[in-house]
Amino acid sequence: AAEAPKQEERERMLHEASNVALAGLQEAGKMYSASLNAPCMAIFALGIMVPMVLMSILPMLSIGGLFGPMPFSLGEIMCLTLVVVPAVVAAVIASIRDRNPFLPTGKADRDLRPALPLLVSLPAAGTLWALGLDPATAACLGLAAGGLLCAAAVLPPYRREQRREKQTVVLEDAVFEMGNRLVSGDSFEEALIRSLTLRGDCAELAEQLRRELDICRGDTAGAIRRVIGPVSPAVAEMICGIQRAAVRDLRDAGRLALTVGRQLQDQEAVRRSIRADLKGMTDTMFGTAAVFAPLVLGMSMSMLTPLSRISSDIDFGGTSIILTVYLAELSILMAALMSFLDGRTGVRDVVRRFATMLPVAMAVFALCMRIAL
């Protein structure tokens, strides 16, 4: 639109583009939200009900020989719980990710270094076991310690990313403000810098841009890309387009900036609405992995303790360890699902969510296991 020769044609193109973008965004969000009910119910059933049946109800049915021998051995139950069920849940999560229309198209972060603090869990669990704790409790506390260290490691990068995202939203608002200043007669450089300076989150960017414009030797677009590009490449390119229009006519560029800024604000409002619709789903998944699943499975283990005294034919010794490992796997899967629902595919975001859920899940599970029935 910035390259259109006439103002009427420019405004028409921008108006049509804005309407198409907003309508497409809203329709994609509604369709994606509506398609999540069945997969998420399947994850809930597979992630909680199947392990509970395998690890508690089946052994109970075989006690005393009332219902015949136990249909699965402990090795088969371990294979189903730690391999088959997580694999099916991961396949459902992958299908949810593939249907998400809001995932970034660029190369995702695959750096596994943020997960390295989790390696502390093994020596920590071994040390606690050597000090006299039972294996399940030692494993829970060791994993909780690793999760806390991992959360502490990924918190600073997460805060920097939050700041960048906040600056992106402020930049989008600044485009609209810049349009008002251009229509009022300010020069392009003055309108851009003043629009950024008035917003505290972008005051540092404004100062950096001022210095770049002083030494850029006329390469205004290059200065904009160097300063604003690392925060938001899309907004940087839009501002460069407005700058090219400003070379021909400042007020015409101002009208262009007003239209583009309004479109950016409308799109952000639609995205906030979509995120609000998905928030209930992400909160449910977090509560499932961090509280509900550990609570149900921990209470199942507390019931198995007195039942093991009734029947000497069934060994429940490895059940608690299997469930501890499974809850760690479930936390990883739910962290990935929450990241995909939020439109993120990087390892760092998955690790951050996992490190937040894991200590809570391990604490709830260890506490429920030790309830005497």
Side-chain angles (χ1 to χ4, degrees):
E3 304 298 330
K6 296 182 180 180
Q7 178 182 342
E8 294 80 7
E9 183 179 357
R10 220 171 5 253
E11 293 178 351
R12 180 185 58 80
M13 291 175 63
L14 285 170
H15 183 70
E16 290 179 356
S18 178
N19 290 339
V20 169
L22 291 176
L25 197 65
Q26 289 174 328
E27 184 65 22
K30 290 179 181 178
M31 293 179 61
Y32 182 60
S33 299
S35 69
L36 293 177
N37 291 328
C40 288
M41 288 301 296
I43 290 173
F44 182 82
L46 290 170
I48 297 179
M49 302 309 297
V50 171
M52 185 182 70
V53 170
L54 289 175
M55 306 302 291
S56 59
I57 295 179
L58 289 180
M60 291 178 195
L61 293 178
S62 62
I63 290 177
L66 296 177
F67 297 92
M70 187 170 171
F72 298 102
S73 66
L74 188 62
E76 292 171 331
I77 291 178
M78 181 173 63
C79 180
L80 286 171
T81 306
L82 300 184
V83 178
V84 177
V85 171
V88 175
V89 173
V92 177
I93 291 174
S95 70
I96 293 176
R97 178 200 60 192
D98 294 339
R99 286 184 298 200
N100 190 346
F102 306 110
L103 290 179
T105 56
K107 188 177 180 180
D109 171 30
R110 294 290 182 264
D111 187 5
L112 295 176
R113 286 178 294 177
L116 290 180
L118 290 172
L119 298 177
V120 176
S121 302
L122 293 176
T127 302
L128 293 172
W129 185 29
L131 292 176
L133 290 179
D134 61 275
T137 304
C140 287
L141 295 179
L143 286 170
L148 290 173
L149 288 176
C150 193
V154 299
L155 185 60
Y158 171 65
R159 287 180 173 173
R160 288 195 295 269
E161 179 63 16
Q162 274 192 319
R163 184 170 182 268
R164 187 197 66 80
E165 291 178 352
K166 188 175 181 180
Q167 284 182 326
T168 299
V169 176
V170 174
L171 281 173
E172 293 173 354
D173 293 337
V175 173
F176 187 82
E177 172 68 20
M178 181 177 65
N180 285 325
R181 292 184 177 277
L182 288 173
V183 171
S184 300
D186 289 354
S187 66
F188 174 81
E189 292 81 0
E190 184 180 8
L192 176 58
I193 291 175
R194 285 189 176 182
S195 300
L196 295 176
T197 304
L198 291 176
R199 290 158 174 80
D201 294 309
C202 289
E204 184 179 350
L205 282 178
E207 186 59 32
Q208 293 177 9
L209 184 59
R210 189 191 303 275
R211 291 195 297 267
E212 283 289 335
L213 290 174
D214 288 340
I215 62 175
C216 71
R217 296 183 179 181
D219 185 14
T220 305
I224 293 171
R225 292 188 179 98
R226 285 191 294 272
V227 176
I228 300 179
V231 178
S232 176
V235 175
E237 290 303 317
M238 290 180 181
I239 295 177
C240 289
I242 296 170
Q243 186 268 334
R244 289 193 297 270
V247 174
R248 298 193 298 268
D249 189 311
L250 281 176
R251 286 181 172 80
D252 199 21
R255 288 188 288 269
L256 174 65
L258 287 172
T259 305
V260 171
R262 189 177 296 110
Q263 178 184 355
L264 291 173
Q265 291 172 348
D266 291 342
Q267 288 184 3
E268 180 60 27
V270 173
R271 291 192 183 95
R272 282 198 298 267
S273 175
I274 295 171
R275 285 195 293 267
D277 292 339
L278 295 177
K279 189 176 187 304
M281 195 72 68
T282 56
D283 290 346
T284 300
M285 293 299 105
F286 180 88
T288 297
V291 179
F292 188 68
L295 179 65
V296 171
L297 297 177
M299 292 301 296
S300 299
M301 285 305 306
S302 68
M303 289 188 292
L304 288 179
T305 301
L307 290 175
S308 63
R309 303 190 190 103
I310 299 175
S311 176
S312 58
D313 298 330
I314 303 174
D315 181 21
F316 299 109
T319 305
S320 56
I321 293 294
I322 294 174
L323 286 181
T324 301
V325 176
Y326 173 72
L327 286 173
E329 293 181 348
L330 183 63
S331 296
I332 295 175
L333 293 170
M334 293 301 102
L337 175 60
M338 292 169 61
S339 295
F340 298 153
L341 289 176
D342 201 28
R344 306 170 190 272
T345 58
V347 170
R348 190 181 300 276
D349 190 74
V350 175
V351 170
R352 177 184 64 81
R353 297 174 189 271
F354 169 68
T356 304
M357 288 188 286
L358 185 64
V360 180
M362 292 297 104
V364 172
F365 184 62
L367 180 63
C368 292
M369 277 197 305
R370 302 188 72 84
I371 296 176
L373 297 177

